Amino acid sequence: LYYNFYDDWWTFFKTGHFPMYDSNTFLGADNIASNTYYGLFSPFTFPILFFARNMIPPAMALISIARLTVGGLLFRLYLKYLGVSERNARFVSIAYAFTGWMAYYLWFNPFYEVLTFFPLILFGIEKILKERKPFFVILGFFLLSISNYFFLLSIGIFAVCYAGFRFFQTLKTRNAKENLLVFVYGFFGFLFGIGLS
């Protein structure tokens, strides 16, 4: 899979033409539609382009470690924003980074991005609720959708449910105007983040 990404991107860099049809997928498929599911545009895929082609397997091992680390750090950021103590935030973040999902998908590591960017969406929802700043929810949805669009729908539905739950849970901490702004920023933050992809 990553050899295929490597060859496609280097074809683009050398010729200026991105291969739109990929014959490596059974009888062939649209490269953008089929391989975006596997992380063609993931920010974690691009570092392999700086390695020699024969170094892709060890590079992917390092990149998988980076995915786990970034996911754990983003989850810690989210927990700290919620007011969790540093000790507990570190413990839960480490547990999050080594969840069964991450352990199971060692064999298919493009699915790591799902949990790597998920805390960014949760953090972004909290930022909208407290500060009316949609940047992180936009960034989270954008990164998730370009790195693995397959889980975008299920995480999007969960995020709407979570945002609604947190909205009503924190309703009395804001006045009517602020509640309206939270709804507007949340709606357009979700929409814009997904739309960017």
Side-chain angles (χ1 to χ4, degrees):
L1 180 68
Y2 290 100
Y3 287 108
N4 189 28
F5 290 169
Y6 187 92
D7 294 342
D8 287 346
W9 280 110
W10 277 109
T11 298
F12 172 68
F13 294 139
K14 289 176 181 175
T15 67
H17 172 33
F18 193 82
M20 298 302 282
Y21 182 80
D22 190 356
S23 59
N24 290 319
T25 310
F26 300 109
L27 295 175
D30 169 25
N31 197 23
I32 303 290
S34 65
N35 285 334
T36 303
Y37 167 76
Y38 300 110
L40 180 67
F41 297 110
S42 167
F44 290 102
T45 301
F46 291 113
I48 67 168
L49 300 176
F50 300 106
F51 290 86
R53 193 173 191 277
N54 65 338
M55 293 299 293
I56 290 175
M60 288 315 303
L62 294 173
I63 290 168
S64 293
I65 293 168
R67 289 170 168 146
L68 292 173
T69 304
V70 170
L73 290 172
L74 289 174
F75 202 75
R76 180 196 163 274
L77 176 71
Y78 164 65
L79 292 175
K80 289 297 293 176
Y81 194 75
L82 288 177
V84 175
S85 70
E86 181 64 34
R87 180 175 171 265
N88 289 338
R90 286 183 184 183
F91 177 77
V92 174
S93 297
I94 290 169
Y96 177 82
F98 292 101
T99 60
W101 177 279
M102 297 297 214
Y104 178 74
Y105 280 115
L106 279 171
W107 69 276
F108 193 66
N109 55 22
F111 280 8
Y112 276 12
E113 272 89 343
V114 176
L115 288 191
T116 300
F117 299 128
F118 180 62
L120 201 54
I121 293 170
L122 297 176
F123 177 66
I125 290 168
E126 294 298 326
K127 288 288 272 189
I128 289 172
L129 290 170
K130 291 182 183 175
E131 302 175 36
R132 269 72 67 205
K133 294 181 179 177
F135 174 75
F136 287 101
V137 82
I138 292 169
L139 181 64
F141 272 115
F142 172 69
L143 290 173
L144 177 68
S145 60
I146 66 166
S147 62
N148 192 312
Y149 73 84
F150 184 73
F151 287 94
L152 181 63
L153 178 63
S154 55
I155 288 182
I157 291 169
F158 172 81
V160 167
C161 294
Y162 176 78
F165 170 75
R166 289 291 292 147
F167 176 80
F168 288 111
Q169 190 178 38
T170 60
L171 188 66
K172 293 182 180 179
T173 62
R174 297 177 300 272
N175 61 37
K177 180 183 176 187
E178 290 171 334
N179 282 325
L180 179 62
L181 284 174
V182 163
F183 182 79
V184 169
Y185 281 125
F187 178 79
F188 285 108
F190 276 52
L191 193 65
F192 192 64
I194 293 168
L196 277 176
S197 65

